[in-house]
Amino acid sequence: MEGILRFARHSFLSYKALFGWLDPKVYILVMVMNPISQILFFAVLVNYVYDGDDLVGYIGANALILCVLNSVFGIMSIITSDRRMGTLQLVMATPVNKIGLFLSRSLAHVLNGLFTSVLGLIFGMVIFQITIPLEAILPLMTVWMVSIFAACGLGLIIGCFSLWTPSMHLLANLLASSLLLLSGANYPQNIMPDWLLSFADFVPLTKGVELTKQLLNEGNYSNVIPLLSAEFILGICYFVISFLFLKYAEHLSRVKGTMDLD
Amino acid sequence: MKDSIISVTDVKRTYKTETGYIKKKRRQVDALKGITFSVEKGEIFGLLGPNGAGKTTMIKILTTMLTPTSGKVSILGFNPVTEMNSLRPHINFILGGERNLYWRLSAYDNLAYFADLYKLPRHEQKQTIDDLLELVGLTDVAHQRVETFSKGMKQRLQIARGLVNNPEILFLDEPSIGLDPVSARKLREIIQHLNGKGTTILLTTHYMFEADELCDRIAFIDKGEIVDIDSPENIKQKTDNVSIIAFTVIGVNMEKLNELSRLPNVQHVQSSKQDYLTTIKLHTRSPQSIVPLIYDTMPGFVIQDLTITKPSLEDVYVQLIGGKVL
Ligand SMILES: Nc1ncnc2c1ncn2[C@@H]1O[C@H](COP(=O)(O)OP(=O)(O)O)[C@@H](O)[C@H]1O
Ligand SMILES: [Mg+2]
């Protein structure tokens, strides 16, 4: 119990300390207005291009993609901000288990990402006067949760890179736009060239977007289990890789002295 | 003989750095060149030395953040290289400066955050945090964001942060750097208070008077080597028969200073310039015979405020680091 409470509080306080958008005014500006304008843009575009075909699915998929604010930029902050404030070295020298620590820091961003996506979906539904079936809600949320978790895993790897390179914003923006591109949120997946398609298999959100379209457009639930399991495993792999990077960074700092966590 | 709770034997640390991408330049810095000392339970031990002496490197090794290249370290019976997980709950450390805190969190939340990281039982946390805030005088602002704090308040919060796990040993690296005199004094009071309650303290500083006032023993460290270890009193006594002749003059040059250092029985000459006034200090065992020679050496100079005093710790330090040990 104690462990769970600690995990939850760490998640919340880290979010507040490192992401810094808990101030209501800033939150509304950055975390609400920004995603809403993005979804509006893509929804109008897709509606025009496909003449309203499968609009629900595209709006759902674009809503999911909004999570990159958290799963790329938010997650990065749990390493970059911590280092900038000079607290990363303190945290690393505490007896706490570092894997649990970074997982709990990620949790807030998975939840916040889900919240942003849901907000985007509701907005899209209101503007375009569309509805989704009630029974699709629970599966959709499960799909999104897992997909956002996987995206956060990749975000954490990029966050680790920030320990090596100072030009992080470039990488982060690149990742954010690749996710938008590769996930197929704005066109049918199969129009992508083959090589890109097989690459997209290893990119988070691709399967989430596919499932979102299947659920909302076709009412097809049959692929949820296999695709979602694959997405989940992908997420686990990303997290494992990022922990290896963190361990290596700690080694460089402690043994080699060539990395400054401060 | 009391127990040593820190023992450091022949510790060396080198940093290898590479610069340049195509033509790599390798450089090796010997930050510590064989350091040996031990600290007893309940002591306040000071590492004193100029910038680049290796103080931070030593603190990092002691707090498990860096491994030595060679040598042996034992803290509370643990090896900080291999047994860091057992050691970490028993120690804590404070770094100087205003960073190393979460500015967007309140003072209370900063402490709660680290209390969790040190796995303090939740039912003890509130009491512990309240007590710590009281100790460092931040109770009134407990729920204000740290970004609104003054330097001194931030520094005191750092102290509280360093105490959340009630450490047996507290390491402080240049704790009073950049503090105003009042905050610095408050900090020294807190350190003394903690020590009174049994916490062993190891601090680094380059302020002599701070080491003099606080420390039971001091290790002078310079260029990665220990020059001397002793109590401030003993260190001052080593210069027992030495006096310091101090005076100020206007417009003195290197040549004159060299001339002064060549006077018989002068062991060391220090000078510091402020505006157009230069303060000169001569270390000597026979001040009476030297004073007239000073006037002879410097005809035409207006010599002001000439005093003859016992050496301060700072004078001893200059003498040790200056290379001319007695
Ligand atoms: N990570 C590092 N890489 C290379 N050289 C370093 C590193 N850290 C410290 N040094 C060098 O080691 C020496 C001792 O540094 P430090 O321990 O910080 O001294 P102090 O704290 O006494 O000022 C200095 O010459 C410094 O430049
Ligand atoms: Mg230092």
Side-chain angles (χ1 to χ4, degrees):
Chain A
M1 192 58 207
E2 190 92 21
I4 295 171
L5 284 174
R6 206 175 270 150
F7 193 86
R9 180 159 76 175
H10 189 80
S11 193
F12 173 71
L13 285 182
S14 294
Y15 180 95
K16 195 171 165 185
L18 300 171
F19 203 39
W21 284 338
L22 217 53
D23 172 14
K25 276 196 296 289
V26 187
Y27 189 92
I28 287 175
L29 210 66
V30 179
M31 300 297 291
V32 178
M33 297 309 276
N34 195 359
I36 279 178
S37 67
Q38 183 180 326
I39 197 161
L40 197 61
F41 171 77
F42 282 110
V44 169
L45 186 74
V46 162
N47 193 27
Y48 172 74
V49 172
Y50 302 112
D51 212 7
D53 282 351
D54 296 337
L55 185 63
V56 195
Y58 282 119
I59 286 181
N62 272 296
L64 171 57
I65 292 293
L66 296 180
C67 76
V68 296
L69 263 186
N70 284 107
S71 58
V72 176
F73 298 99
I75 284 283
M76 261 177 58
S77 77
I78 70 180
I79 292 176
T80 52
S81 284
D82 212 11
R83 188 194 207 188
R84 198 176 52 241
M85 294 176 192
T87 36
L88 183 61
Q89 51 172 348
L90 305 187
V91 167
M92 294 303 275
T94 63
V96 80
N97 177 301
K98 305 302 173 315
I99 294 181
L101 180 94
F102 283 98
L103 278 178
S104 88
R105 287 180 168 193
S106 304
L107 176 71
H109 289 287
V110 174
L111 295 178
N112 192 197
L114 190 63
F115 177 76
T116 309
S117 294
V118 169
L119 206 68
L121 180 64
I122 293 172
F123 182 76
M125 284 164 57
V126 170
I127 293 288
F128 291 90
Q129 306 206 321
I130 48 178
T131 52
I132 57 173
L134 212 57
E135 70 269 15
I137 291 178
L138 193 64
L140 189 68
M141 289 303 105
T142 314
V143 168
W144 282 13
M145 185 88 164
V146 171
S147 234
I148 294 170
F149 162 80
C152 284
L154 185 58
L156 193 54
I157 294 182
I158 300 292
C160 291
F161 288 171
S162 73
L163 295 170
W164 280 270
T165 162
S167 47
M168 271 324 289
H169 281 281
L170 216 70
L171 259 178
N173 285 314
L174 185 72
L175 177 65
S177 44
S178 322
L179 286 178
L180 189 61
L181 176 80
L182 293 171
S183 66
N186 292 302
Y187 38 78
Q189 274 254 305
N190 52 27
I191 69 163
M192 276 199 270
D194 278 350
W195 63 273
L196 213 55
L197 211 57
S198 40
F199 184 61
D201 265 345
F202 295 96
V203 172
L205 297 179
T206 308
K207 297 178 190 65
V209 161
E210 184 57 41
L211 284 172
T212 301
K213 287 182 185 169
Q214 290 183 6
L215 291 185
L216 296 183
N217 288 339
E218 305 161 19
N220 175 2
Y221 294 81
S222 60
N223 290 323
V224 170
I225 303 253
L227 284 185
L228 203 58
S229 313
E231 187 90 310
F232 186 64
I233 290 169
L234 196 64
I236 300 270
C237 291
Y238 284 138
F239 272 99
V240 168
I241 292 171
S242 55
F243 291 138
L244 292 177
F245 273 120
L246 276 171
K247 260 263 162 294
Y248 183 56
E250 198 183 10
H251 172 83
L252 287 183
S253 151
R254 214 167 94 84
V255 180
K256 295 245 175 180
T258 49
M259 166 155 315
D260 218 344
L261 292 179
D262 184 5
Chain B
M1 186 72 194
K2 282 192 259 173
D3 320 327
S4 294
I5 60 172
I6 299 176
S7 101
V8 174
T9 319
D10 198 23
V11 162
K12 296 182 182 158
R13 172 74 215 195
T14 54
Y15 292 107
K16 292 198 173 81
T17 53
E18 279 181 2
T19 45
Y21 283 104
I22 299 165
K23 209 173 174 188
K24 283 194 175 169
K25 280 210 183 87
R26 291 203 173 78
R27 210 168 55 92
Q28 180 167 325
V29 182
D30 297 314
L32 299 176
K33 300 172 186 163
I35 299 276
T36 302
F37 67 88
S38 60
V39 178
E40 284 162 16
K41 195 169 160 45
E43 256 190 319
I44 302 185
F45 188 89
L47 278 175
L48 188 61
N51 279 330
K55 303 182 297 295
T56 299
T57 302
M58 194 66 238
I59 289 264
K60 281 189 173 174
I61 289 174
L62 295 171
T63 52
T64 75
M65 295 198 281
L66 188 70
T67 59
T69 309
S70 69
K72 253 182 68 185
V73 184
S74 164
I75 297 165
L76 296 162
F78 297 112
N79 179 342
V81 179
T82 54
E83 298 170 302
M84 56 176 175
N85 289 330
S86 319
L87 173 61
R88 282 172 174 173
H90 303 285
I91 60 170
N92 211 327
F93 59 95
I94 293 159
L95 310 168
E98 300 179 71
R99 294 169 76 229
N100 313 310
L101 289 167
Y102 292 111
W103 286 26
R104 293 185 193 130
L105 299 183
S106 67
Y108 188 96
D109 282 348
N110 264 281
L111 298 182
Y113 194 87
F114 280 94
D116 278 345
L117 294 182
Y118 281 94
K119 300 181 192 170
L120 210 68
R122 295 203 125 226
H123 61 93
E124 286 175 17
Q125 285 188 6
K126 190 171 171 355
Q127 189 62 48
T128 305
I129 293 172
D130 286 345
D131 290 349
L132 286 174
L133 287 168
E134 178 83 45
L135 173 74
V136 298
L138 292 174
T139 308
D140 294 343
V141 290
H143 296 287
Q144 278 179 30
R145 282 169 170 235
V146 172
E147 59 196 357
T148 65
F149 286 11
S150 71
K151 249 185 201 176
M153 289 159 82
K154 285 180 190 136
Q155 195 65 322
R156 279 182 276 145
L157 182 58
Q158 285 242 46
I159 299 251
R161 204 243 340 117
L163 296 172
V164 282
N165 60 329
N166 192 17
E168 287 170 58
I169 312 175
L170 183 64
F171 297 89
L172 301 103
D173 193 14
E174 313 257 3
S176 56
I177 201 144
L179 286 187
D180 62 274
V182 179
S183 303
R185 170 139 35 83
K186 175 85 188 154
L187 184 105
R188 290 197 292 276
E189 281 168 16
I190 294 173
I191 290 173
Q192 267 156 346
H193 171 86
L194 285 173
N195 184 245
K197 291 199 320 186
T199 311
T200 305
I201 289 169
L202 189 148
L203 61 88
T204 75
T205 177
H206 61 256
Y207 298 123
M208 262 35 75
F209 66 94
E210 187 169 84
D212 195 2
E213 188 181 320
L214 281 176
C215 298
D216 298 310
R217 280 191 311 140
I218 296 171
F220 282 100
I221 173 168
D222 185 38
K223 300 191 184 78
E225 286 172 305
I226 288 188
V227 188
D228 198 6
I229 305 185
D230 219 326
S231 66
E233 293 71 33
N234 283 347
I235 286 175
K236 280 188 272 185
Q237 256 181 19
K238 284 182 190 166
T239 56
D240 221 5
N241 300 312
V242 173
S243 298
I244 307 289
I245 306 173
F247 57 91
T248 57
V249 287
I250 296 172
V252 74
N253 57 19
M254 264 324 276
E255 213 173 307
K256 274 286 165 232
L257 288 176
N258 284 335
E259 228 173 291
L260 285 172
S261 70
R262 283 196 297 271
L263 290 177
N265 293 323
V266 169
Q267 290 159 329
H268 193 80
V269 178
Q270 271 173 267
S271 69
S272 56
K273 207 170 159 155
Q274 202 175 33
D275 298 328
Y276 50 89
L277 272 186
T278 305
T279 303
I280 296 177
K281 283 183 172 181
L282 302 182
H283 298 217
T284 176
R285 277 180 214 250
S286 45
Q288 275 74 12
S289 66
I290 296 291
V291 172
L293 294 177
I294 293 173
Y295 285 94
D296 291 349
T297 314
M298 308 186 74
F301 283 92
V302 183
I303 294 177
Q304 294 177 334
D305 303 333
L306 189 137
T307 56
I308 300 175
T309 53
K310 288 269 130 204
S312 67
L313 197 58
E314 177 153 7
D315 299 320
V316 181
Y317 170 75
V318 166
Q319 209 159 358
L320 287 170
I321 305 284
K324 282 191 181 179
V325 185
L326 300 176

